[in-house]
């Protein structure tokens, strides 16, 4: 039974689970997609906002530098003494300024004011990176340089950005250069992270990096930035793969700020959360499915299995089957169970009715048969009596009449079906007596009964058909004296009757013919009737068994249970 | 059937728990030790700057330590032991002694610590990755800088480390290999000095006194390079002796500007520091590297001519 397919509850659980998971994953997929799109949008907006904020701070700073430049330009008209006093204060208040230098039209250094004191380095090799005359040819209104080191000094080479402006003076001091420390610009840009790993960098319009939070990495070739390509893009935000670029041109028009952020880190966190939620949901679904399956099992599949089992039992033994419908089950199954119980009861009732009807039928049949034997036998017996009277054998005739009377009295038995064995033996004795007379004492007979057996009941006319058979088939036509032996004894809970003769015996064919023939060739109860009656009343374990050997005799064994009262038997 | 369900449930719960556990695990950063040969030279300061940049980028807990002098391998071994005691996940190491540091490194590796070697190698089979200058190649480059002259007769003086340090050895091998190929080179003299510019200067001066014909003088690392440059300056040799120094010490840069030094052989210490920590992180994350293949950081020749080009500035001067 176990191997026949899968259990219903398992099937239900799996299908539940499959549907829920399908719907769930579909929903999650859609959700994740929408979510990702939205997140990307948000990340772009964030990125652009940060870049705009940073660019406005840088703009402010540059505006401030411009303002400083204007102040410095004005200051340059002051005499030398005043200037140095001014620069003393100026350099102290503006730590971002590394040096201020002025040049004649040919680019020779006129003055240099610096926090590192007077210039010491330039004289040795004449290299000065703070002024690019070449560039001033094309940009006579000044420029903002790319990062470079300051070469005025020995021992110190700070990285700066130089702002160069023309001065009003035609001769003498013609240019002014303001070196601003890169580390101060970094202050505005380095900490402007977008997300955990995102950052901003500053480049010029050609994509040369002006300032990058990881400048040294770039200088050491450990990191590259795709700035030349980014430089071709308009201001705005761009998603390329998992990277978001936000570009904003500063108000000076020369520099552009680029924000780089990584979509991954926004998504990763969100998707991880989503994954956790999904996992928890899946667990809950699974749990629910298991619960459902457990419930299903109690209310659906187990009752069904029980019902199936009950039906099998019913098939095996309908008589003694007892069925109680389950208490916990879905309504359909409950109905099914109740219907099954009703069915069982009905079938059992029907079976009982059929059996009773059969018994009734047999009873009627037997009664009819009993009624049938009488005239035939009576005629023969009366013929014998009349013959005895003619012969003047009055005493014998009286005996015969008495026997006949006893026979009939017991046959009638006031309508009882069962009579004490004692009476049955009397009946047999009367019959034997009559037949012995009729057969002119061709045979002798004897009856041995255990005293204990005599009060048990048996069907009336049990022995008579057997004895009749013994006389007709065994003794009749026998040359020697026949002998018929009737005995009754206990055998455990059963009573055993034996009728033995030493007559001509029977062949196997004859035995089976007797056992199967409905009626003996003559009217009356046959051996088959007796056997049938025992089997019907007491079950297949009881009935008649014939042992016979040709020329040696026949022994008929009748087995029946001990019956005390007629009601005993009715019950059975 | 029932048992199966219970098992399934158990599996699920454990899965959930492990997912949570995993999320927690990543919150504690890796603990990485950087043990240098010295803490005072600009070379090492640049290494530390690079290491710190990687520390910030990879969110690791970085401890930087190193002895006062570049001869104190015992001090390095003590730092290695300290790293073991403090349950470091990885050590980024530059060995003073190729042999004497090996047992300590092996012991650390035995304790489950990943070893990444930068700059100078150690004689251990337990190293996960090696990063730094290809020192043989650096030696050859030094030779090329030394030979870049019109002099017909060359006599070379080399000031090298006193202690057996792998990178010094290898540099000299590469250097001599190339020098010996040039017919102009008539003599090569090596003097070993403590890695300290004062000691190196003294050694260089006595080497020059002993072999006055020397017209090329080479210092094979930063302090030695400063030493020979200072010797040249002190003796006011001018252009008579071609001085080749190592690394971008500010003294050397000034002397390069003034002409006392002809060329600087500049390594990329920032990259060593950065890559050292980055590689340690990658090793801890499960990546594997071939320790027999050096991850080469660039080596350049800087002269007066190229020192203030855009490239030259980037190589010589560290940014902020």
């Amino acid at each position: 039974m176990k191997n026949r397919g899968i259990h219903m509850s398992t099937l239900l659980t799996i299908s539940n689970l499959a549907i829920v998971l399908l719907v769930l994953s579909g929903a999650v997929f859609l959700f994740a997609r929408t979510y990702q799109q939205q997140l990307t949008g948000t990340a772009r907006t964030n990125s652009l906002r940060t870049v705009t904020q940073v660019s406005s701070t840088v703009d402010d700073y540059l505006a401030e530098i411009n303002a400083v430049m204007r102040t410095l330009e004005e200051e340059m008209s002051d005499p030398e003494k005043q200037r140095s006093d001014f620069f003393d204060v100026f350099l102290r208040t503006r730590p971002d300024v590394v040096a201020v230098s002025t040049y004649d039209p040919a680019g020779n250094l006129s003055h240099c004011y610096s926090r590192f004191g007077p210039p010491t380095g330039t004289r040795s090799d004449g290299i000065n990176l703070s002024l690019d005359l070449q560039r001033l040819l094309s940009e006579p209104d000044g420029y903002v340089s790319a990062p470079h080191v300051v070469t005025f000094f020995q021992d110190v080479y700070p990285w700066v950005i130089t702002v160069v402006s023309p001065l009003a003076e035609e001769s003498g001091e013609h240019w002014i250069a303001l070196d601003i420390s890169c580390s101060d610009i970094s202050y505005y840009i380095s900490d402007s992270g977008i997300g955990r790993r995102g950052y901003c960098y500053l480049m010029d319009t050609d994509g040369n990096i002006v300032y990058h939070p990881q400048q040294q990495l770039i200088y050491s070739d450990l990191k590259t930035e795709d700035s030349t390509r980014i430089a071709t893009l308009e201001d705005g935000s761009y998603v390329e793969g998992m990277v978001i670029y936000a570009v904003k041109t500063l108000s000076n028009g020369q520099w552009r700020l680029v924000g780089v952020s990584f979509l991954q880190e926004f998504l990763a966190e969100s998707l991880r959360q989503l994954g956790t939620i999904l996992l928890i949901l899946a667990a809950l679904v699974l749990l629910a499915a298991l619960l459902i399956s457990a419930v299903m099992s109690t209310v659906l599949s187990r009752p069904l299995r029980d019902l199936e089992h009950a039906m099998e039992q019913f098939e095996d033994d309908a008589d003694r089957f007892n069925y109680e419908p389950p208490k916990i089950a879905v309504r359909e199954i409950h109905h099914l169970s109740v219907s099954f119980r009703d069915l069982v009861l009905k079938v059992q009732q029907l079976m009982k009715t059929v059996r009773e009807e059969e018994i009734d039928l047999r009873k009627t049949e037997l009664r009819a048969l009993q009624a049938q034997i009488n005239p035939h036998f009576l005629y023969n017996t009366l013929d014998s009596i009349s013959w005895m009277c003619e012969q003047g054998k009055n005493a014998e005739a009286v005996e015969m009449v008495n026997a006949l009377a006893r026979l009939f009295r017991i046959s009638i038995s006031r309508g009882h079906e069962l009579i004490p064995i004692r009476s049955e033996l009397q009946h047999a004795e009367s019959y034997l007596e009559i037949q012995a007379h009729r057969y002119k004492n061709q045979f002798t007979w004897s009856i041995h009964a255990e005293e204990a057996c005599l009060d048990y009941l048996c069907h009336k006319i049990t022995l008579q058909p057997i004895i009749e058979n013994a006389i007709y088939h065994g003794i009749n036509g026998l040359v020697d004296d026949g002998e018929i032996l009737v005995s009754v004894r206990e055998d455990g809970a059963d009573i055993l009757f034996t009728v033995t003769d030493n007559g001509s015996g029977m062949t196997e064919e004859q035995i089976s013919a007797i056992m199967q023939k409905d009626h003996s060739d003559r009217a009356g109860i046959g051996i088959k009737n007796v056997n049938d009656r025992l089997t019907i009343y007491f079950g297949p374990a009881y009935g008649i068994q014939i042992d016979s050997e040709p020329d040696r005799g026949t022994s008929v064994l009748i087995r029946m249970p001990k019956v005390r009262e007629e009601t005993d038997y009715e019950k059975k | 059937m029932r048992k199966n369900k219970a098992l399934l449930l158990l599996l699920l719960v454990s899965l959930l728990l492990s997912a949570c556990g995993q999320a927690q695990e990543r919150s504690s950063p890796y603990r990485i030790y950087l043990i240098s040969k010295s803490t005072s030279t600009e070379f090492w300061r640049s290494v530390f700057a690079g290491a710190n940049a990687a520390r910030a980028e990879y969110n690791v807990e970085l401890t930087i330590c190193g002895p006062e002098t570049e001869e104190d391998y015992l001090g390095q071994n003590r730092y290695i032991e300290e790293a073991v005691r403090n349950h470091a996940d990885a050590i980024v190491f530059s060995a003073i002694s190729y042999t004497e540091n090996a047992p300590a490194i092996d012991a650390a590796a035995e304790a489950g610590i990943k070893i990444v070697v930068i700059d100078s190698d150690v004689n251990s089979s337990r190293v996960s990755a090696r990063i730094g200058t290809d020192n043989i190649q650096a030696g050859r480059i030094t030779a090329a800088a030394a030979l870049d002259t019109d002099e017909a007769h060359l006599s070379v003086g080399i000031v090298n480390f006193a202690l057996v340090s792998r990178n010094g050895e290898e540099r000299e091998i590469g250097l001599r290999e190339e020098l010996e190929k040039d017919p102009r080179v008539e003599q090569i003299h090596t003097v070993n000095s403590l890695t300290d510019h004062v000691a190196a200067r003294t050694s260089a001066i006595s080497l020059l006194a002993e072999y006055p014909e020397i017209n090329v003088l080479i210092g094979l690392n930063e302090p030695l390079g400063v030493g020979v440059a200072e010797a040249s300056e002190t003796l006011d040799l001018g252009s008579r002796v071609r001085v080749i120094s190592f690394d971008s010490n500010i003294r050397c840069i000034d002397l390069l500007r003034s002409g006392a030094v002809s060329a600087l052989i500049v390594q990329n210490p920032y990259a060593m520091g950065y890559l050292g920590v980055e590689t340690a992180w990658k090793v801890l994350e499960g990546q594997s590297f071939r320790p027999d293949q050096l991850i080469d950081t660039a080596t350049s020749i800087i002269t007066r001519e190229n020192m203030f080009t855009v490239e030259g500035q980037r190589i010589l001067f560290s940014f902020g």
Side-chain angles (χ1 to χ4, degrees):
Chain A
M1 195 181 87
K2 289 263 173 202
N3 320 344
R4 245 183 274 153
I6 26 174
H7 283 292
M8 196 150 111
S9 58
T10 319
L11 199 70
L12 280 169
T13 312
I14 289 170
S15 56
N16 271 348
L17 212 64
I19 290 168
V20 171
L21 282 180
L22 204 71
V23 170
L24 199 68
S25 47
V28 164
F29 178 70
L30 279 177
F31 180 63
R33 270 189 64 121
T34 323
Y35 198 47
Q36 180 171 0
Q37 274 168 4
Q38 246 177 14
L39 260 170
T40 310
T42 315
R44 280 176 69 165
T45 317
N46 273 345
S47 185
L48 204 56
R49 191 185 301 142
T50 309
V51 167
T52 309
Q53 273 169 5
V54 173
S55 70
S56 74
T57 9
V58 176
D59 273 338
D60 288 349
Y61 180 69
L62 289 177
E64 195 184 316
I65 293 297
N66 271 330
V68 168
M69 201 61 175
R70 297 292 89 77
T71 319
L72 288 175
E73 282 167 17
E74 279 171 31
E75 193 56 43
M76 288 307 152
S77 53
D78 287 350
E80 200 95 353
K81 175 76 182 74
Q82 243 175 300
R83 273 204 214 174
S84 57
D85 291 344
F86 167 80
F87 277 109
D88 275 350
V89 179
F90 175 76
L91 289 169
R92 224 178 321 169
T93 51
R94 290 215 63 107
D96 54 331
V97 174
V98 172
V100 178
S101 47
T102 55
Y103 303 86
D104 67 12
N108 297 313
L109 183 65
S110 303
H111 288 94
C112 178
Y113 305 95
S114 160
R115 63 180 58 261
F116 299 108
T120 51
T122 36
R123 270 167 231 117
S124 61
D125 54 7
I127 289 172
N128 179 15
L129 296 177
S130 296
L131 189 77
D132 187 346
L133 270 180
Q134 218 56 32
R135 192 168 172 183
L136 282 171
L137 289 178
S138 56
E139 293 170 74
D141 294 332
Y143 65 89
V144 181
S145 82
H148 63 88
V149 292
V150 174
T151 49
F152 294 130
F153 316 108
Q154 284 185 326
D155 303 340
V156 58
Y157 296 86
W159 282 87
V160 294
I161 281 161
T162 309
V163 184
V164 179
S165 269
L167 284 173
E169 315 275 325
E170 278 304 315
S171 60
E173 293 172 313
H174 188 60
W175 308 104
I176 180 164
L178 175 62
D179 290 334
I180 303 154
S181 164
C182 277
S183 52
D184 279 85
I185 297 177
S186 82
Y187 172 77
Y188 296 96
I189 297 174
S190 282
D191 291 336
S192 57
I194 311 166
R196 199 173 58 78
R197 285 175 52 222
Y199 55 88
C200 292
Y201 68 88
L202 206 58
M203 63 177 188
D204 65 17
T205 45
D206 297 328
N208 301 312
I209 290 174
V210 173
Y211 178 78
H212 192 289
Q214 294 178 311
Q215 196 116 329
Q216 187 62 44
L217 283 182
I218 289 172
Y219 284 179
S220 305
D221 287 330
L222 295 173
K223 187 181 171 75
T224 49
E225 203 65 67
D226 198 7
S227 54
T228 327
R229 192 178 53 79
I230 303 287
T232 62
L233 300 174
E234 296 287 307
D235 282 9
S237 65
Y238 306 89
V239 178
E240 290 178 6
M242 292 304 273
V243 185
I244 302 174
Y245 293 105
V247 188
K248 177 97 170 75
T249 306
L250 297 185
S251 51
N252 71 2
Q254 293 186 2
W255 287 352
R256 300 181 83 187
L257 192 72
V258 182
V260 183
S261 54
F262 302 94
L263 199 51
Q264 220 161 2
E265 84 189 43
F266 290 94
L267 288 180
E269 181 59 20
S270 312
L271 289 179
R272 203 182 58 73
Q273 278 175 357
L274 208 64
T276 314
I277 291 169
L278 181 63
L279 210 66
I280 290 168
L281 269 178
L284 286 178
V285 165
L286 202 70
L287 204 69
L290 289 178
L291 274 175
I292 288 169
S293 92
V295 171
M296 284 290 174
S297 171
T298 22
V299 302
L300 198 66
S301 77
R302 187 154 341 132
L304 275 178
R305 257 201 320 274
D306 290 349
L307 195 61
E308 186 192 0
H309 187 60
M311 282 175 172
E312 269 171 7
Q313 274 188 332
F314 181 54
E315 250 176 61
D316 289 347
D317 187 4
D319 272 341
R320 261 167 289 175
F321 181 72
N322 192 17
Y323 182 73
E324 205 48 54
K327 292 195 169 46
I328 310 161
V330 289
R331 197 186 301 164
E332 287 80 359
I333 290 175
H334 188 73
H335 284 175
L336 203 62
S337 304
V338 170
S339 302
F340 177 63
R341 184 193 58 188
D342 294 349
L343 182 78
V344 165
L345 289 178
K346 235 170 233 165
V347 167
Q348 281 176 339
Q349 217 155 22
L350 272 174
M351 281 168 63
K352 202 173 149 198
T353 317
V354 167
R355 197 177 303 126
E356 276 169 2
E357 275 173 358
E358 197 181 352
I359 290 168
D360 280 350
L361 193 69
R362 288 300 163 112
K363 272 189 196 166
T364 323
E365 203 176 73
L366 284 168
R367 282 201 187 106
L369 288 170
Q370 269 166 255
Q372 232 177 14
I373 61 161
N374 295 341
H376 191 84
F377 176 73
L378 189 61
Y379 162 74
N380 281 336
T381 312
L382 286 176
D383 190 41
S384 299
I385 294 169
S386 118
W387 181 79
M388 281 174 190
C389 288
E390 275 174 24
Q391 296 287 311
K393 296 178 180 173
N394 289 341
E396 280 177 48
V398 167
E399 208 176 303
M400 193 78 156
V401 169
N402 280 342
L404 191 62
R406 209 160 49 236
L407 194 72
F408 275 97
R409 182 170 50 78
I410 294 166
S411 285
I412 295 158
S413 301
R414 274 176 277 145
H416 289 299
E417 186 62 29
L418 292 182
I419 55 169
I421 289 174
R422 188 192 306 281
S423 304
E424 178 60 17
L425 287 176
Q426 275 178 9
H427 184 263
E429 197 180 347
S430 304
Y431 180 72
L432 278 166
E433 228 170 86
I434 291 166
Q435 289 295 46
H437 278 296
R438 279 195 56 209
Y439 283 86
K440 308 203 174 53
N441 294 322
Q442 272 181 25
F443 62 88
T444 58
W445 52 268
S446 64
I447 296 174
H448 302 285
E450 285 178 6
E451 191 59 35
C453 301
L454 294 178
D455 290 328
Y456 291 111
L457 302 180
C458 71
H459 288 102
K460 62 185 179 188
I461 318 179
T462 298
L463 288 170
Q464 184 268 325
I466 318 285
I467 297 167
E468 186 182 13
N469 184 68
I471 294 167
Y472 283 107
H473 288 105
I475 310 299
N476 199 9
L478 198 73
V479 184
D480 303 328
D481 276 354
E483 195 178 8
I484 292 175
L485 219 75
V486 176
S487 74
V488 182
R489 61 189 167 87
E490 285 180 294
D491 181 27
D494 297 340
I495 304 282
L496 290 180
F497 295 84
T498 41
V499 176
T500 317
D501 68 64
N502 60 346
S504 50
M506 289 185 284
T507 59
E508 288 288 320
E509 289 76 32
Q510 278 175 307
I511 294 171
S512 61
I514 284 169
M515 292 300 283
Q516 276 166 19
K517 223 191 293 170
D518 230 342
H519 299 281
S520 55
D521 40 0
R522 297 159 319 98
I525 296 180
I527 290 178
K528 181 177 183 294
N529 295 126
V530 175
N531 188 43
D532 285 354
R533 190 167 50 184
L534 287 166
T535 318
I536 289 166
Y537 279 97
F538 302 119
Y542 301 98
I544 289 173
Q545 191 193 334
I546 300 174
D547 289 318
S548 185
E549 237 179 285
D551 298 327
R552 294 292 297 273
T554 305
S555 171
V556 178
L557 185 77
I558 304 166
R559 179 183 288 274
M560 65 171 292
K562 286 175 177 171
V563 180
R564 270 279 173 212
E565 287 173 60
E566 205 156 346
T567 47
D568 262 5
Y569 135 81
E570 286 297 340
K571 266 183 227 158
K572 293 186 180 180
Chain B
M1 182 80 193
R2 197 143 287 270
K3 208 173 239 176
N4 281 351
K5 283 180 194 172
L7 247 152
L8 204 71
L9 203 76
L10 205 77
L11 199 85
L12 215 89
V13 169
S14 59
L15 209 80
L16 265 169
L17 282 178
S18 70
C20 294
Q22 231 168 18
Q24 274 174 353
E25 201 178 34
R26 296 286 290 107
S27 66
S28 97
Y30 291 123
R31 191 172 294 180
I32 297 177
Y33 268 68
L34 194 160
I35 300 172
S36 64
K37 284 169 130 184
S38 153
T39 49
S40 53
T41 63
E42 281 181 48
F43 176 89
W44 284 107
R45 276 197 284 275
S46 192
V47 169
F48 302 158
N52 275 316
R55 171 192 59 81
E57 191 159 336
Y58 291 98
N59 187 31
V60 296
E61 198 182 298
L62 182 68
T63 309
I64 293 173
C65 41
E68 281 304 310
T69 69
E70 292 200 29
E71 279 77 32
D72 189 6
Y73 58 82
L74 288 173
Q76 279 196 315
N77 287 349
R78 278 195 295 277
Y79 285 123
I80 294 167
E81 283 155 20
E82 182 193 312
V84 174
R85 266 201 310 283
N86 291 344
H87 305 291
D89 296 303
I91 296 177
V92 179
F93 185 63
S94 175
I96 288 177
S97 168
Y98 183 65
T99 49
E100 301 303 316
N101 288 127
I105 283 295
D106 282 338
E110 199 58 49
I113 299 176
K114 303 286 179 200
I115 308 293
V116 173
V117 161
I118 56 168
D119 177 48
S120 187
D121 201 2
V122 63
N123 183 22
S124 169
S125 59
R126 309 294 293 271
V127 175
S128 299
R130 290 186 163 86
I131 299 154
T133 304
D134 179 345
N135 285 304
I136 301 256
Q137 187 60 28
R140 291 189 187 123
I141 289 171
T142 312
L147 295 171
D148 187 19
T149 171
D150 298 331
E151 296 280 339
H153 304 283
L154 295 174
S155 181
V156 183
I158 302 169
V159 181
N160 204 352
F161 309 177
L163 204 76
V164 186
S165 188
R166 197 60 169 177
N167 52 3
E169 261 181 13
E170 287 178 350
R171 280 172 204 169
E172 193 172 332
I173 290 168
L175 174 63
R176 279 176 172 269
E177 182 189 304
E178 286 297 307
L179 289 178
E180 280 159 11
K181 282 183 194 164
D182 195 302
R184 292 179 295 167
V185 178
E186 290 160 357
Q187 300 174 42
I188 305 173
H189 305 287
T190 301
V191 63
N192 289 318
S193 160
L194 290 176
T195 43
D196 167 77
H197 70 102
V198 181
R201 184 176 60 202
T202 315
S203 300
I205 289 171
S206 53
L207 184 69
L208 286 166
E210 194 177 342
Y211 305 102
E213 63 275 25
I214 283 175
N215 55 0
V216 176
L217 191 60
I218 300 168
L220 280 180
N221 78 355
E222 184 186 320
L224 301 179
V226 175
V228 296
E230 283 176 352
S232 163
E233 195 191 25
T234 311
L235 299 176
D236 198 18
L237 298 171
S239 56
R240 202 185 71 71
V241 175
R242 195 170 163 74
V243 175
I244 316 288
S245 286
F246 245 78
D247 296 325
S248 54
N249 186 281
I250 204 81
R251 282 284 290 142
C252 288
I253 292 169
D254 283 334
L255 291 172
L256 183 68
R257 277 186 89 176
S258 70
V261 171
S262 302
L264 290 178
I265 309 303
V266 182
Q267 306 180 69
N268 195 343
Y270 188 87
M272 284 184 208
Y274 182 84
L275 289 175
V277 172
E278 181 187 61
T279 307
W281 181 82
K282 284 178 177 172
V283 167
L284 291 171
E285 285 286 299
Q287 278 194 46
S288 61
F289 294 85
R290 291 191 54 182
D292 55 328
Q293 278 187 353
L294 182 78
I295 299 169
D296 191 11
T297 51
T299 310
S300 326
I301 304 177
I302 298 293
T303 60
R304 275 185 90 179
E305 285 68 42
N306 69 0
M307 70 182 294
F308 287 117
T309 60
V310 174
E311 274 307 307
Q313 289 181 63
R314 289 180 180 185
I315 292 166
L316 273 185
F317 306 105
S318 77
F319 191 95

